[in-house]
Amino acid sequence: MAPSSPNDSLKNVDGHLRAVIEILYEISVGVYGYQGPESAEVLANQINKLSQEYQDLDSSAQKLPAEVAVPREVIQYIEDGRNPDIYTREFVEIVIKQNQFMKGKMEAYRDFRDVLAEQIKISFPELKDKVEEVIDSTGGHRKTPQLGAERTGGGQNSGAA
């Protein structure tokens, strides 16, 4: 029965990879506890089983869809004997740092826009409406002056006592 979806193909390959790892572990235990000729047949069977599992893994990997691709960096990590989870963790950390950097830039530009707008409104009162249009069209929010917040009841305790 052939796998019907990319997810099934990946699960199939994953199962074969896990089987290869398990057989390799069994072989390492057998080599470590080698007791002479009586262990040789068990090891030979394990090696034959490993060879068959590699063949099954190869045939399963050939059935993977083209959109399932492993980044070259991950393959290099594995070839260097490193854990691919480390690559994933490092990649996520780099993306988080870049995201924070870009967020800081965006906040700096937003603050600059607001300061510049206030200064233009002060220096050129006739452009106040145009400045407000620009602020609104760039996602800015009009900052109400401190006095305006007090007059409009901006505080929690500014009601009838």
Side-chain angles (χ1 to χ4, degrees), residues 5 10 15 18 39 41 51 62-63 70 82 95 107 127 133 137 140 154 156:
S5 74
L10 284 174
R18 290 179 188 276
S39 298
E41 187 177 333
S51 176
Q62 298 297 324
K63 296 174 186 172
V70 178
R82 297 178 71 190
V95 169
E107 289 174 357
L127 297 177
E133 278 182 40
S137 68
Q156 292 290 334

Side-chain angles (χ1 to χ4, degrees), residues 23-36 39-40 42-44 46-47:
I23 294 169
L24 286 170
Y25 177 75
E26 291 171 3
I27 289 173
S28 69
V29 169
V31 168
Y32 180 75
Y34 188 73
Q35 298 175 356
S39 298
V42 173
L43 279 175
Q46 291 292 357
I47 291 172

